[in-house]
Short mmCIF file of all heavy atoms in Angstrom, two decimals:
data_model
loop_
_atom_site.label_atom_id
_atom_site.label_comp_id
_atom_site.label_asym_id
_atom_site.label_seq_id
_atom_site.Cartn_x
_atom_site.Cartn_y
_atom_site.Cartn_z
N MET A 78 3.83 71.39 117.96
CA MET A 78 2.75 70.76 117.24
C MET A 78 2.50 71.51 115.92
O MET A 78 2.27 70.89 114.90
CB MET A 78 1.49 70.72 118.10
CG MET A 78 0.33 70.05 117.45
SD MET A 78 0.50 68.31 117.16
CE MET A 78 0.31 67.69 118.79
N GLN A 79 2.55 72.84 115.98
CA GLN A 79 2.29 73.63 114.78
C GLN A 79 3.32 73.32 113.68
O GLN A 79 2.98 73.25 112.51
CB GLN A 79 2.31 75.12 115.11
CG GLN A 79 1.96 76.00 113.93
CD GLN A 79 1.85 77.47 114.33
OE1 GLN A 79 1.87 77.81 115.49
NE2 GLN A 79 1.74 78.33 113.33
N GLU A 80 4.57 73.11 114.08
CA GLU A 80 5.61 72.77 113.11
C GLU A 80 5.34 71.42 112.46
O GLU A 80 5.56 71.25 111.26
CB GLU A 80 6.98 72.76 113.79
CG GLU A 80 7.44 74.13 114.22
CD GLU A 80 8.72 74.08 115.03
OE1 GLU A 80 9.27 72.97 115.25
OE2 GLU A 80 9.16 75.16 115.45
N ILE A 81 4.83 70.48 113.23
CA ILE A 81 4.51 69.16 112.68
C ILE A 81 3.38 69.28 111.67
O ILE A 81 3.45 68.71 110.57
CB ILE A 81 4.14 68.18 113.81
CG1 ILE A 81 5.38 67.90 114.66
CG2 ILE A 81 3.55 66.89 113.25
CD1 ILE A 81 5.09 67.14 115.92
N VAL A 82 2.34 70.01 112.01
CA VAL A 82 1.21 70.18 111.09
C VAL A 82 1.66 70.90 109.82
O VAL A 82 1.30 70.50 108.72
CB VAL A 82 0.06 70.93 111.79
CG1 VAL A 82 -1.03 71.28 110.79
CG2 VAL A 82 -0.52 70.10 112.92
N SER A 83 2.49 71.92 109.95
CA SER A 83 3.01 72.64 108.78
C SER A 83 3.81 71.68 107.89
O SER A 83 3.68 71.72 106.67
CB SER A 83 3.90 73.80 109.21
OG SER A 83 3.15 74.77 109.87
N PHE A 84 4.63 70.84 108.51
CA PHE A 84 5.41 69.88 107.74
C PHE A 84 4.49 68.92 106.98
O PHE A 84 4.71 68.63 105.80
CB PHE A 84 6.34 69.08 108.66
CG PHE A 84 7.12 68.02 107.95
CD1 PHE A 84 8.29 68.33 107.28
CD2 PHE A 84 6.66 66.70 107.91
CE1 PHE A 84 9.00 67.35 106.60
CE2 PHE A 84 7.37 65.72 107.24
CZ PHE A 84 8.55 66.03 106.59
N LEU A 85 3.45 68.43 107.65
CA LEU A 85 2.53 67.49 107.01
C LEU A 85 1.74 68.15 105.89
O LEU A 85 1.42 67.49 104.90
CB LEU A 85 1.59 66.89 108.06
CG LEU A 85 2.28 65.98 109.09
CD1 LEU A 85 1.29 65.58 110.17
CD2 LEU A 85 2.91 64.76 108.43
N ILE A 86 1.45 69.43 106.02
CA ILE A 86 0.78 70.15 104.93
C ILE A 86 1.69 70.21 103.71
O ILE A 86 1.25 70.03 102.58
CB ILE A 86 0.36 71.56 105.39
CG1 ILE A 86 -0.79 71.46 106.38
CG2 ILE A 86 -0.02 72.44 104.20
CD1 ILE A 86 -1.13 72.75 107.08
N GLN A 87 2.97 70.45 103.94
CA GLN A 87 3.93 70.56 102.85
C GLN A 87 4.31 69.20 102.27
O GLN A 87 4.77 69.11 101.13
CB GLN A 87 5.19 71.27 103.33
CG GLN A 87 4.96 72.71 103.72
CD GLN A 87 6.18 73.31 104.38
OE1 GLN A 87 7.26 72.74 104.40
NE2 GLN A 87 6.01 74.51 104.93
N HIS A 88 4.11 68.13 103.06
CA HIS A 88 4.50 66.79 102.63
C HIS A 88 3.36 65.81 102.88
O HIS A 88 3.41 64.96 103.78
CB HIS A 88 5.75 66.34 103.41
CG HIS A 88 6.90 67.26 103.25
ND1 HIS A 88 7.73 67.24 102.16
CD2 HIS A 88 7.36 68.25 104.05
CE1 HIS A 88 8.66 68.16 102.30
NE2 HIS A 88 8.43 68.81 103.43
N PRO A 89 2.30 65.90 102.06
CA PRO A 89 1.13 65.04 102.29
C PRO A 89 1.45 63.54 102.17
O PRO A 89 0.74 62.72 102.76
CB PRO A 89 0.13 65.49 101.23
CG PRO A 89 0.93 66.23 100.22
CD PRO A 89 2.13 66.78 100.92
N GLU A 90 2.51 63.19 101.47
CA GLU A 90 2.87 61.78 101.36
C GLU A 90 3.29 61.22 102.73
O GLU A 90 3.06 60.05 103.03
CB GLU A 90 3.98 61.57 100.32
CG GLU A 90 5.33 62.14 100.68
CD GLU A 90 5.50 63.64 100.42
OE1 GLU A 90 4.54 64.31 99.99
OE2 GLU A 90 6.62 64.13 100.66
N VAL A 91 3.89 62.06 103.56
CA VAL A 91 4.26 61.62 104.92
C VAL A 91 3.01 61.42 105.76
O VAL A 91 2.89 60.45 106.50
CB VAL A 91 5.22 62.63 105.58
CG1 VAL A 91 5.52 62.23 107.02
CG2 VAL A 91 6.51 62.75 104.77
N LEU A 92 2.05 62.33 105.63
CA LEU A 92 0.78 62.17 106.33
C LEU A 92 0.14 60.84 105.96
O LEU A 92 -0.35 60.11 106.82
CB LEU A 92 -0.16 63.33 106.04
CG LEU A 92 -1.56 63.21 106.63
CD1 LEU A 92 -1.50 63.20 108.15
CD2 LEU A 92 -2.43 64.35 106.14
N GLU A 93 0.15 60.50 104.70
CA GLU A 93 -0.43 59.24 104.25
C GLU A 93 0.28 58.05 104.88
O GLU A 93 -0.35 57.09 105.29
CB GLU A 93 -0.37 59.14 102.72
CG GLU A 93 -1.09 57.94 102.16
CD GLU A 93 -2.58 57.93 102.46
OE1 GLU A 93 -3.20 59.00 102.50
OE2 GLU A 93 -3.11 56.83 102.68
N GLN A 94 1.60 58.14 105.02
CA GLN A 94 2.35 57.07 105.65
C GLN A 94 2.03 56.97 107.15
O GLN A 94 1.97 55.87 107.70
CB GLN A 94 3.84 57.27 105.44
CG GLN A 94 4.27 57.05 104.01
CD GLN A 94 5.75 57.28 103.79
OE1 GLN A 94 6.45 57.79 104.66
NE2 GLN A 94 6.22 56.91 102.61
N VAL A 95 1.82 58.10 107.79
CA VAL A 95 1.42 58.09 109.20
C VAL A 95 0.05 57.44 109.34
O VAL A 95 -0.16 56.60 110.24
CB VAL A 95 1.43 59.52 109.79
CG1 VAL A 95 0.80 59.54 111.17
CG2 VAL A 95 2.84 60.07 109.85
N ILE A 96 -0.87 57.78 108.46
CA ILE A 96 -2.22 57.22 108.52
C ILE A 96 -2.19 55.70 108.33
O ILE A 96 -2.89 54.97 109.03
CB ILE A 96 -3.13 57.89 107.46
CG1 ILE A 96 -3.38 59.35 107.86
CG2 ILE A 96 -4.44 57.13 107.29
CD1 ILE A 96 -4.07 60.17 106.79
N THR A 97 -1.36 55.23 107.41
CA THR A 97 -1.31 53.79 107.14
C THR A 97 -0.41 53.03 108.11
O THR A 97 -0.33 51.80 108.04
CB THR A 97 -0.83 53.52 105.70
OG1 THR A 97 0.48 54.06 105.52
CG2 THR A 97 -1.79 54.10 104.68
N GLY A 98 0.27 53.74 108.99
CA GLY A 98 1.12 53.10 109.98
C GLY A 98 2.53 52.80 109.51
O GLY A 98 3.28 52.10 110.19
N LYS A 99 2.90 53.32 108.36
CA LYS A 99 4.24 53.08 107.82
C LYS A 99 5.26 54.09 108.34
O LYS A 99 6.45 53.93 108.13
CB LYS A 99 4.21 53.12 106.30
CG LYS A 99 3.39 52.00 105.69
CD LYS A 99 3.38 52.10 104.19
CE LYS A 99 2.51 50.99 103.61
NZ LYS A 99 2.41 51.10 102.15
N ALA A 100 4.79 55.13 109.00
CA ALA A 100 5.67 56.15 109.59
C ALA A 100 5.05 56.59 110.91
O ALA A 100 3.87 56.41 111.16
CB ALA A 100 5.81 57.34 108.65
N SER A 101 5.89 57.15 111.75
CA SER A 101 5.40 57.67 113.03
C SER A 101 5.96 59.07 113.24
O SER A 101 6.93 59.48 112.60
CB SER A 101 5.79 56.75 114.18
OG SER A 101 7.20 56.67 114.27
N LEU A 102 5.35 59.79 114.17
CA LEU A 102 5.79 61.14 114.49
C LEU A 102 6.50 61.10 115.84
O LEU A 102 5.89 60.73 116.86
CB LEU A 102 4.59 62.09 114.54
CG LEU A 102 3.75 62.17 113.26
CD1 LEU A 102 2.52 63.03 113.49
CD2 LEU A 102 4.60 62.76 112.13
N LEU A 103 7.77 61.45 115.84
CA LEU A 103 8.53 61.44 117.07
C LEU A 103 8.02 62.50 118.03
O LEU A 103 7.65 63.59 117.62
CB LEU A 103 10.01 61.68 116.78
CG LEU A 103 10.70 60.63 115.92
CD1 LEU A 103 12.13 61.04 115.64
CD2 LEU A 103 10.67 59.27 116.60
N TRP A 104 8.03 62.18 119.31
CA TRP A 104 7.62 63.07 120.39
C TRP A 104 6.15 63.47 120.32
O TRP A 104 5.74 64.45 120.91
CB TRP A 104 8.50 64.32 120.44
CG TRP A 104 9.94 63.99 120.61
CD1 TRP A 104 10.51 63.40 121.70
CD2 TRP A 104 10.99 64.18 119.66
NE1 TRP A 104 11.86 63.23 121.47
CE2 TRP A 104 12.18 63.70 120.23
CE3 TRP A 104 11.04 64.71 118.37
CZ2 TRP A 104 13.40 63.73 119.59
CZ3 TRP A 104 12.25 64.75 117.73
CH2 TRP A 104 13.41 64.26 118.32
N VAL A 105 5.35 62.68 119.60
CA VAL A 105 3.91 62.92 119.52
C VAL A 105 3.22 61.65 120.01
O VAL A 105 3.45 60.57 119.46
CB VAL A 105 3.47 63.26 118.08
CG1 VAL A 105 1.98 63.50 118.00
CG2 VAL A 105 4.24 64.46 117.55
N ASP A 106 2.38 61.78 121.04
CA ASP A 106 1.72 60.57 121.54
C ASP A 106 0.56 60.16 120.63
O ASP A 106 0.15 60.92 119.75
CB ASP A 106 1.28 60.73 123.00
CG ASP A 106 0.19 61.77 123.22
OD1 ASP A 106 -0.71 61.89 122.37
OD2 ASP A 106 0.23 62.45 124.26
N GLN A 107 0.05 58.97 120.87
CA GLN A 107 -0.98 58.40 119.99
C GLN A 107 -2.24 59.25 119.92
O GLN A 107 -2.84 59.40 118.86
CB GLN A 107 -1.32 56.97 120.43
CG GLN A 107 -2.23 56.22 119.49
CD GLN A 107 -1.61 55.99 118.13
OE1 GLN A 107 -0.40 55.96 117.96
NE2 GLN A 107 -2.45 55.85 117.13
N ASP A 108 -2.66 59.82 121.04
CA ASP A 108 -3.85 60.68 121.04
C ASP A 108 -3.64 61.90 120.17
O ASP A 108 -4.55 62.32 119.43
CB ASP A 108 -4.20 61.12 122.46
CG ASP A 108 -4.77 59.99 123.30
OD1 ASP A 108 -5.30 59.01 122.72
OD2 ASP A 108 -4.68 60.08 124.54
N GLN A 109 -2.45 62.48 120.21
CA GLN A 109 -2.16 63.64 119.38
C GLN A 109 -2.13 63.27 117.91
O GLN A 109 -2.63 64.02 117.06
CB GLN A 109 -0.83 64.28 119.80
CG GLN A 109 -0.88 64.94 121.16
CD GLN A 109 0.49 65.37 121.64
OE1 GLN A 109 1.49 64.72 121.40
NE2 GLN A 109 0.51 66.51 122.33
N VAL A 110 -1.56 62.11 117.59
CA VAL A 110 -1.52 61.65 116.20
C VAL A 110 -2.94 61.46 115.68
O VAL A 110 -3.27 61.91 114.56
CB VAL A 110 -0.72 60.32 116.07
CG1 VAL A 110 -0.89 59.73 114.68
CG2 VAL A 110 0.74 60.55 116.38
N LEU A 111 -3.79 60.85 116.47
CA LEU A 111 -5.18 60.65 116.06
C LEU A 111 -5.89 61.99 115.86
O LEU A 111 -6.69 62.15 114.93
CB LEU A 111 -5.92 59.78 117.07
CG LEU A 111 -5.44 58.33 117.18
CD1 LEU A 111 -6.16 57.61 118.31
CD2 LEU A 111 -5.59 57.60 115.87
N SER A 112 -5.60 62.97 116.69
CA SER A 112 -6.20 64.29 116.55
C SER A 112 -5.74 64.98 115.28
O SER A 112 -6.53 65.62 114.58
CB SER A 112 -5.85 65.17 117.76
OG SER A 112 -6.43 64.66 118.92
N ILE A 113 -4.46 64.85 114.97
CA ILE A 113 -3.93 65.44 113.74
C ILE A 113 -4.60 64.80 112.53
O ILE A 113 -5.04 65.50 111.62
CB ILE A 113 -2.40 65.26 113.68
CG1 ILE A 113 -1.71 66.14 114.74
CG2 ILE A 113 -1.86 65.58 112.29
CD1 ILE A 113 -0.24 65.84 114.93
N ILE A 114 -4.67 63.48 112.52
CA ILE A 114 -5.29 62.78 111.39
C ILE A 114 -6.75 63.19 111.24
O ILE A 114 -7.22 63.46 110.14
CB ILE A 114 -5.14 61.25 111.57
CG1 ILE A 114 -3.68 60.86 111.44
CG2 ILE A 114 -6.01 60.49 110.57
CD1 ILE A 114 -3.38 59.42 111.83
N GLU A 115 -7.47 63.23 112.36
CA GLU A 115 -8.88 63.64 112.32
C GLU A 115 -9.03 65.06 111.79
O GLU A 115 -9.93 65.35 111.00
CB GLU A 115 -9.49 63.52 113.71
CG GLU A 115 -10.96 63.89 113.76
CD GLU A 115 -11.85 62.95 112.97
OE1 GLU A 115 -11.49 61.79 112.77
OE2 GLU A 115 -12.93 63.39 112.55
N GLY A 116 -8.15 65.93 112.20
CA GLY A 116 -8.19 67.31 111.71
C GLY A 116 -8.01 67.39 110.21
O GLY A 116 -8.74 68.11 109.51
N PHE A 117 -7.04 66.66 109.68
CA PHE A 117 -6.83 66.66 108.23
C PHE A 117 -8.03 66.04 107.50
O PHE A 117 -8.41 66.52 106.45
CB PHE A 117 -5.54 65.91 107.87
CG PHE A 117 -4.32 66.76 107.96
CD1 PHE A 117 -3.48 66.68 109.06
CD2 PHE A 117 -3.99 67.65 106.95
CE1 PHE A 117 -2.35 67.46 109.15
CE2 PHE A 117 -2.85 68.43 107.03
CZ PHE A 117 -2.02 68.35 108.14
N LYS A 118 -8.61 65.00 108.07
CA LYS A 118 -9.79 64.39 107.44
C LYS A 118 -10.96 65.37 107.42
O LYS A 118 -11.70 65.44 106.43
CB LYS A 118 -10.19 63.11 108.17
CG LYS A 118 -9.25 61.96 107.90
CD LYS A 118 -9.70 60.71 108.61
CE LYS A 118 -8.77 59.55 108.30
NZ LYS A 118 -9.19 58.31 108.95
N ARG A 119 -11.13 66.14 108.48
CA ARG A 119 -12.22 67.12 108.51
C ARG A 119 -12.00 68.20 107.46
O ARG A 119 -12.95 68.63 106.80
CB ARG A 119 -12.31 67.76 109.89
CG ARG A 119 -12.89 66.87 110.93
CD ARG A 119 -12.90 67.54 112.28
NE ARG A 119 -13.48 66.67 113.27
CZ ARG A 119 -14.39 67.06 114.13
NH1 ARG A 119 -14.80 68.30 114.16
NH2 ARG A 119 -14.89 66.21 114.99
N ILE A 120 -10.78 68.64 107.32
CA ILE A 120 -10.48 69.67 106.32
C ILE A 120 -10.75 69.12 104.92
O ILE A 120 -11.37 69.79 104.10
CB ILE A 120 -9.03 70.16 106.46
CG1 ILE A 120 -8.90 70.98 107.74
CG2 ILE A 120 -8.62 70.99 105.25
CD1 ILE A 120 -7.48 71.32 108.12
N GLU A 121 -10.29 67.89 104.65
CA GLU A 121 -10.54 67.28 103.35
C GLU A 121 -12.03 67.14 103.07
O GLU A 121 -12.48 67.31 101.94
CB GLU A 121 -9.91 65.89 103.28
CG GLU A 121 -8.45 65.90 102.95
CD GLU A 121 -7.90 64.49 102.78
OE1 GLU A 121 -8.70 63.52 102.83
OE2 GLU A 121 -6.70 64.38 102.59
N ALA A 122 -12.81 66.82 104.09
CA ALA A 122 -14.25 66.64 103.93
C ALA A 122 -14.99 67.97 103.79
O ALA A 122 -16.16 68.00 103.44
CB ALA A 122 -14.82 65.86 105.10
N GLY A 123 -14.29 69.07 104.07
CA GLY A 123 -14.92 70.37 103.93
C GLY A 123 -15.74 70.79 105.13
O GLY A 123 -16.48 71.75 105.06
N TRP A 124 -15.58 70.10 106.26
CA TRP A 124 -16.32 70.50 107.45
C TRP A 124 -15.40 70.68 108.64
O TRP A 124 -15.74 70.42 109.77
CB TRP A 124 -17.45 69.54 107.77
CG TRP A 124 -17.06 68.10 107.94
CD1 TRP A 124 -16.86 67.20 106.94
CD2 TRP A 124 -16.83 67.40 109.15
NE1 TRP A 124 -16.52 65.99 107.47
CE2 TRP A 124 -16.50 66.06 108.82
CE3 TRP A 124 -16.88 67.75 110.50
CZ2 TRP A 124 -16.20 65.10 109.77
CZ3 TRP A 124 -16.58 66.77 111.45
CH2 TRP A 124 -16.26 65.47 111.07
N GLY A 125 -14.20 71.17 108.33
CA GLY A 125 -13.21 71.44 109.37
C GLY A 125 -13.66 72.56 110.28
O GLY A 125 -14.82 72.96 110.29
N PRO A 126 -12.74 73.11 111.03
CA PRO A 126 -13.11 74.14 111.99
C PRO A 126 -13.73 75.37 111.34
O PRO A 126 -14.56 76.04 111.94
CB PRO A 126 -11.80 74.48 112.67
CG PRO A 126 -10.73 73.87 111.86
CD PRO A 126 -11.34 72.80 111.01
N TYR A 127 -13.37 75.64 110.09
CA TYR A 127 -13.91 76.81 109.39
C TYR A 127 -14.30 76.39 107.97
O TYR A 127 -13.61 76.72 107.01
CB TYR A 127 -12.87 77.93 109.33
CG TYR A 127 -12.34 78.28 110.70
CD1 TYR A 127 -11.09 77.86 111.11
CD2 TYR A 127 -13.11 79.01 111.58
CE1 TYR A 127 -10.61 78.15 112.37
CE2 TYR A 127 -12.65 79.31 112.85
CZ TYR A 127 -11.39 78.89 113.23
OH TYR A 127 -10.93 79.17 114.47
N PRO A 128 -15.39 75.64 107.82
CA PRO A 128 -15.72 75.05 106.51
C PRO A 128 -15.82 76.06 105.38
O PRO A 128 -15.39 75.77 104.29
CB PRO A 128 -17.08 74.40 106.76
CG PRO A 128 -17.27 74.36 108.22
CD PRO A 128 -16.34 75.34 108.84
N LYS A 129 -16.35 77.25 105.64
CA LYS A 129 -16.52 78.21 104.56
C LYS A 129 -15.20 78.70 104.00
O LYS A 129 -15.11 79.09 102.85
CB LYS A 129 -17.36 79.39 105.04
CG LYS A 129 -18.79 79.01 105.33
CD LYS A 129 -19.61 80.19 105.76
CE LYS A 129 -21.03 79.72 106.05
NZ LYS A 129 -21.87 80.80 106.50
N LEU A 130 -14.14 78.65 104.80
CA LEU A 130 -12.83 79.08 104.33
C LEU A 130 -12.21 78.05 103.39
O LEU A 130 -11.37 78.38 102.58
CB LEU A 130 -11.88 79.32 105.50
CG LEU A 130 -12.27 80.44 106.45
CD1 LEU A 130 -11.28 80.50 107.62
CD2 LEU A 130 -12.27 81.78 105.73
N TRP A 131 -12.64 76.79 103.48
CA TRP A 131 -12.02 75.74 102.71
C TRP A 131 -12.80 75.38 101.46
O TRP A 131 -12.33 74.67 100.61
CB TRP A 131 -11.86 74.49 103.58
CG TRP A 131 -10.92 74.74 104.70
CD1 TRP A 131 -11.24 75.06 105.99
CD2 TRP A 131 -9.49 74.75 104.66
NE1 TRP A 131 -10.10 75.25 106.73
CE2 TRP A 131 -9.03 75.07 105.95
CE3 TRP A 131 -8.57 74.51 103.63
CZ2 TRP A 131 -7.67 75.14 106.24
CZ3 TRP A 131 -7.23 74.59 103.95
CH2 TRP A 131 -6.79 74.91 105.23
N ARG A 132 -14.01 75.86 101.35
CA ARG A 132 -14.84 75.55 100.19
C ARG A 132 -14.68 76.62 99.14
O ARG A 132 -14.56 77.79 99.43
CB ARG A 132 -16.31 75.47 100.57
CG ARG A 132 -16.62 74.30 101.44
CD ARG A 132 -18.11 74.24 101.72
NE ARG A 132 -18.37 73.21 102.71
CZ ARG A 132 -19.40 73.24 103.52
NH1 ARG A 132 -20.26 74.22 103.48
NH2 ARG A 132 -19.57 72.27 104.38
N GLY A 133 -14.71 76.21 97.88
CA GLY A 133 -14.68 77.18 96.80
C GLY A 133 -16.07 77.71 96.49
O GLY A 133 -16.97 76.95 96.17
N TYR A 134 -16.26 78.98 96.65
CA TYR A 134 -17.57 79.58 96.36
C TYR A 134 -17.50 80.43 95.14
O TYR A 134 -16.56 81.02 94.80
CB TYR A 134 -18.06 80.44 97.54
CG TYR A 134 -18.45 79.62 98.73
CD1 TYR A 134 -17.62 79.45 99.81
CD2 TYR A 134 -19.69 79.00 98.77
CE1 TYR A 134 -18.00 78.70 100.90
CE2 TYR A 134 -20.07 78.25 99.85
CZ TYR A 134 -19.23 78.11 100.92
OH TYR A 134 -19.62 77.36 101.98
#
């Protein structure tokens, strides 16, 4: 799973395709895909698992 997340960080265009349903992640079930997408959305919103680390102060 960590390798998949690292790949998506390096290739945000692929993440966008996964979100829109134009691409899928092999060997990752739907619940895991939804969790990955939610995690990236939380980070983008600035309220991820460690919000202070992601905000510019």
Side-chain angles (χ1 to χ4, degrees):
M78 181 67 74
Q79 184 175 350
E80 292 173 1
I81 293 170
V82 172
S83 294
F84 177 83
L85 293 173
I86 289 170
Q87 295 172 10
H88 303 280
E90 68 279 2
V91 176
L92 175 63
E93 187 61 35
Q94 290 179 350
V95 170
I96 291 170
T97 61
K99 295 179 182 176
S101 61
L102 302 174
L103 297 177
W104 303 294
V105 180
D106 66 37
Q107 188 63 25
D108 288 337
Q109 291 171 324
V110 170
L111 294 175
S112 294
I113 291 169
I114 292 170
E115 181 65 25
F117 275 101
K118 286 181 178 181
R119 286 178 179 228
I120 290 170
E121 278 185 4
W124 56 278
Y127 306 104
K129 292 181 181 179
L130 296 176
W131 295 98
R132 292 183 187 153
Y134 289 99

